[in-house]
Amino acid sequence: MTNSFVQQDEVQALLRESAGLNSPEGNERFKAITHRLLENICGLIDDYNVTQEEFWHAINYLHELGGRQEAALLAAGLGLEHFLDLRQDAIDAAQQRETGGTPRTIEGPLYVANAPLAQGHARMDDGKDPGETLWLHGVVTDTKGQPVANAIVDIWHANTLGNYSFFDQSQSEYNLRRRIQTGADGRYSVRTIMPSGYGCPPDGPTQKLLDLLGRHGNRPAHIHFFVSAPGHKHLTSQINFNGDEYLWDDFAFATRDGLIADPIKVNDEQKIRERDLEGPHTEIRFDFTLCKALSVDEEGRITRSRAKE
Ligand code: MBD
Ligand code: FE
């Protein structure tokens, strides 16, 4: 911190006191981080001549963000969630971990835990959305190409309006959310509908901030996954669809090479019958490759506050 006003003794004493550095109690790490944060905010206020009106506007923004439950959405939109992925990739590389696993990408704010669990296959949609039928399937393997049995493929995605069940109360419970457990062949398949892309609530605080940055708040259509299995490192990821207008213009920066799927039109009568579908549909094959876990800890997703968990 090089701001000379903040470096003055009186300000430095204030920041040490307010961050609890003079107290024998509290948490050392939390104090150090709070101290750094406060010092950076004060330096920024002075460097940019932030007015009192601007300061209180920012404080009120935090109230709005919390009131609308959009803090996690903003974290995605500011690229901070993607930054955590970039940093985790770098940590993995520095540890010379096994390569060749499916790339990770952000979880986003709209997961709901404990979706219905099925063996091998499930239908994810409740039949009320007129969206195009999607047959999504693939195999979970390890980095040697061996099928992984008893993997849980936890899938969630939006409807054709770009909305997610639970957060959108008009949808049935766990609509477009399922967990599939693989058998010895490592395979999973679901019947669902093609999702639409997501757009931030136009009247919300996240979109308000994005407007001031001259940015849009749209995501390409995508499907989220958690893939986990005993002995393997938990994977949080998503797939996108080739040809989507926002494919490489995601407001949440989640698109990555290796996570782009090619939707295929299926007209073949035999395939339609085999799948017990009514007619032509879209098919996506997407396989997952899991890396070995080095500890039991790595087998699970990170802890964060989630719906129904
Ligand atoms: C989503 O569906 C999403 O995945 C993210 C990251 C942010 C907002 C909505
Ligand atoms: Fe999403």
Side-chain angles (χ1 to χ4, degrees):
M1 170 61 53
T2 51
N3 179 283
S4 62
F5 183 77
V6 174
Q7 287 312 310
Q8 289 178 98
D9 289 349
E10 190 177 4
V11 176
Q12 286 294 307
L14 170 68
L15 295 179
R16 275 197 302 276
E17 185 66 20
S18 66
L21 301 192
N22 299 330
S23 165
E25 275 151 59
N27 177 285
E28 289 308 313
R29 177 176 164 79
F30 191 73
K31 289 180 191 188
I33 291 171
T34 301
H35 185 252
R36 165 79 78 91
L37 180 65
L38 290 173
E39 194 173 52
N40 285 353
I41 290 171
C42 291
L44 182 154
I45 288 171
D46 193 57
D47 287 348
Y48 283 87
N49 271 315
V50 172
T51 66
Q52 299 217 14
E53 284 78 7
E54 287 171 330
F55 177 81
W56 292 112
H57 185 77
I59 293 296
N60 190 57
Y61 181 79
L62 295 180
H63 286 151
E64 266 184 62
L65 198 61
R68 292 286 295 257
Q69 295 261 296
E70 285 193 11
L73 181 62
L74 183 64
L78 289 177
L80 293 171
E81 195 172 1
H82 181 56
F83 170 79
L84 296 179
D85 281 340
L86 295 176
R87 187 160 177 278
Q88 203 59 50
D89 290 347
I91 291 166
D92 286 359
Q95 290 177 344
Q96 301 186 345
R97 307 250 342 195
E98 205 178 355
T99 56
T102 302
R104 61 163 57 82
T105 196
I106 67 171
E107 173 180 334
L110 303 175
Y111 178 73
V112 177
N114 295 306
L117 179 63
Q119 303 299 316
H121 176 83
R123 179 171 178 176
M124 296 181 70
D125 67 298
D126 62 9
K128 291 181 186 147
D129 191 308
E132 199 181 322
T133 300
L134 169 64
W135 189 266
L136 169 66
H137 68 112
V139 60
V140 182
T141 67
D142 62 21
T143 54
K144 298 189 178 70
Q146 292 303 307
V148 176
N150 297 314
I152 304 275
V153 184
D154 194 337
I155 311 173
W156 72 104
H157 67 82
N159 66 7
T160 54
L161 298 174
N163 296 326
Y164 287 76
S165 66
F166 182 84
F167 302 95
D168 169 13
Q169 291 287 330
S170 80
Q171 292 181 51
S172 58
E173 192 179 29
Y174 286 117
N175 190 38
L176 311 178
R177 300 177 184 275
R178 287 295 183 278
R179 291 179 296 158
I180 314 297
Q181 183 162 25
T182 62
D185 61 1
R187 299 202 154 269
Y188 77 94
S189 66
V190 292
R191 171 189 173 162
T192 188
I193 54 161
M194 275 297 275
S196 295
Y198 169 94
C200 288
D203 61 342
T206 300
Q207 189 58 57
K208 200 150 101 180
L209 182 147
L210 291 170
D211 287 346
L212 284 167
L213 299 179
R215 294 180 48 201
H216 67 73
N218 299 313
R219 299 208 61 208
H222 59 280
I223 297 176
H224 296 266
F225 300 89
F226 285 154
V227 188
S228 61
H232 297 273
K233 194 149 75 86
H234 169 90
L235 173 71
T236 297
S237 202
Q238 304 180 20
I239 59 170
N240 292 106
F241 313 122
N242 237 337
D244 192 301
E245 68 166 310
Y246 290 109
L247 183 62
W248 289 106
D249 190 20
D250 178 6
F251 100 102
F253 310 98
T255 310
R256 307 191 90 173
D257 285 328
L259 298 177
I260 300 167
D262 279 304
I264 303 163
K265 290 271 171 257
V266 178
N267 296 301
D268 183 69
E269 284 301 332
Q270 196 188 322
K271 277 236 163 108
I272 291 167
R273 244 182 335 224
E274 267 172 33
R275 294 171 177 175
D276 203 18
L277 298 177
E278 290 81 41
H281 57 277
T282 299
E283 171 180 338
I284 289 174
R285 170 155 185 179
F286 197 83
D287 298 337
F288 294 98
T289 309
L290 297 181
C291 294
K292 264 200 298 292
L294 298 183
S295 67
V296 187
D297 232 38
E298 288 187 347
E299 294 180 13
R301 56 188 181 240
I302 57 138
T303 302
R304 66 182 263 193
S305 173
R306 296 182 176 94
K308 298 205 177 186
E309 192 167 52

